[in-house]
Amino acid sequence: MAVEIIGSAAGAGSFVLDLVRCLAAPIGRPFKYLWNYNTNFINLEKEVDKLKDARVKVQRKVDAAINNVEEIEETVEKWQKDVDSIIGEAEQLIQEKANNPHCFKGLCPNWITHYKHSKKAFKLKENDISLELDKESEVADKANKLYARLKMSKKDEKGEKGKKDEKDTRPVKILLILDNIWKDLDLATVGIPSGDDRGGCKLLLTTRVRDVLDRMGSTNNFKMGTLNEEEAWNLFQKMAVMALLQNLSYGLM
């Protein structure tokens, strides 16, 4: 008899424990949002700043693509609209937090509003903003195809027997020559990758103004002198012969 009572008590205790566990999750969620109220908004503001930076980077590539007479894909425009909408919603929520009403004549916070705002801030950061930030790199490449080509990587399929195909993601080596620069050039504006983001793209700049190279952060600079009279005449003769041969090959003479 005592064993049955103990067994029943143990069974009842297990049932109560399971019930508490089931109720703990939904009951704990409101307290989690209330407890992390300030933290959720701090994290939201940080992510909004990151999203704004991403928006600026993509817009620069869009501007460069427009300058290069490239057509902007609808997916890029949609991303920009989605980002603008999310940033606007987040900034409005942050402003509402600043104007959050109080109860009892301002003696304590309005807990219901705190809960709603904190929950929305958390979900904005974790879902909407994170999703758009993950798309940034892909959208940037679509925004400026020239930029993407200059930093692209080659895929070398080995296809050896008994082995899986491996991809060689070494950057394609591209030499881009910008000749006779007279003033500073914003490479991002014209859609040219530079710095750590340049991939395998190498730039050769020529200018008559040394300060331009210094301001643009050019390295390995070297000076080329002018040709003397004999060198200039030899170069002219070579170019003239090449032009003559080319005209003959096309039947122009």
Side-chain angles (χ1 to χ4, degrees):
M1 189 68 176
V3 174
E4 293 179 0
I5 295 174
I6 293 174
S8 298
S14 177
F15 171 76
V16 171
L17 183 59
D18 290 339
L19 181 61
V20 169
R21 287 173 178 171
C22 290
L23 293 175
I27 292 175
R29 290 191 194 106
F31 290 103
K32 179 187 72 173
Y33 292 127
L34 288 173
W35 181 263
N36 295 322
Y37 177 75
N38 288 323
T39 300
N40 285 340
F41 271 94
I42 291 174
N43 292 336
L44 176 63
E45 290 177 1
K46 290 180 179 178
E47 293 302 297
V48 168
D49 288 339
K50 291 181 183 178
L51 192 57
K52 286 181 178 179
D53 290 340
R55 180 176 62 179
V56 170
K57 292 177 182 178
V58 170
Q59 185 59 50
R60 285 177 179 171
K61 292 179 175 58
V62 168
D63 293 339
I66 293 173
N67 291 335
N68 294 329
V69 199
E70 292 188 33
E71 185 177 354
I72 307 302
E73 293 189 14
E74 292 182 1
T75 53
V76 177
E77 295 177 344
K78 183 180 182 303
W79 183 87
Q80 290 180 301
K81 291 179 181 178
D82 290 343
V83 167
D84 288 342
S85 177
I86 292 171
I87 290 176
E89 185 178 0
E91 289 182 337
Q92 181 180 354
L93 183 63
I94 293 170
Q95 185 60 43
E96 288 177 1
K97 173 185 178 293
N99 300 330
N100 187 18
H102 289 66
C103 61
F104 297 110
K105 298 181 180 180
L107 297 178
C108 69
N110 187 324
W111 298 115
I112 296 177
T113 304
H114 267 48
Y115 165 73
K116 291 180 178 179
H117 283 178
S118 182
K119 180 180 179 180
K120 189 173 182 180
F122 178 81
K123 291 190 173 182
L124 267 175
K125 170 189 172 294
E126 292 296 322
N127 299 335
D128 300 337
I129 296 180
S130 295
L131 177 63
E132 300 307 326
L133 285 174
D134 289 341
K135 294 179 181 178
E136 178 200 345
S137 179
E138 179 183 355
V139 170
D141 287 342
K142 288 182 178 180
N144 191 324
K145 295 181 178 62
L146 172 63
Y147 183 92
R149 287 196 297 270
L150 291 176
K151 56 173 287 194
M152 66 184 175
S153 297
K154 63 181 178 180
K155 297 177 180 179
D156 179 20
E157 300 288 343
K158 294 184 179 180
E160 296 180 8
K161 187 176 181 180
K163 294 184 179 181
K164 293 183 178 179
D165 292 344
E166 297 179 5
K167 293 180 179 180
D168 184 359
T169 58
R170 290 175 297 173
V172 174
K173 294 182 178 180
I174 299 174
L175 176 62
L176 188 63
I177 301 175
L178 302 179
D179 188 32
N180 201 19
I181 299 175
W182 285 89
K183 61 181 181 179
D184 300 6
L185 177 64
D186 186 357
L187 298 177
T189 301
V190 294
I192 299 176
S194 60
D196 295 335
D197 198 30
R198 71 180 183 274
C201 179
K202 298 290 185 179
L203 291 177
L204 175 61
L205 310 177
T206 68
T207 181
R208 299 181 183 182
V209 185
R210 175 62 183 267
D211 291 345
V212 171
L213 298 178
D214 295 336
R215 290 194 295 270
M216 291 183 64
S218 175
T219 58
N220 300 325
N221 299 329
F222 56 92
K223 183 178 180 180
M224 296 185 64
T226 57
L227 299 177
N228 58 36
E229 185 176 351
E230 181 180 357
E231 291 172 332
W233 176 245
N234 289 336
L235 178 60
F236 172 78
Q237 288 179 314
K238 290 179 181 179
M239 297 300 295
V241 171
M242 290 178 61
L244 177 61
L245 292 175
Q246 186 177 25
N247 289 336
L248 288 173
S249 65
Y250 284 107
L252 299 178
M253 296 183 67

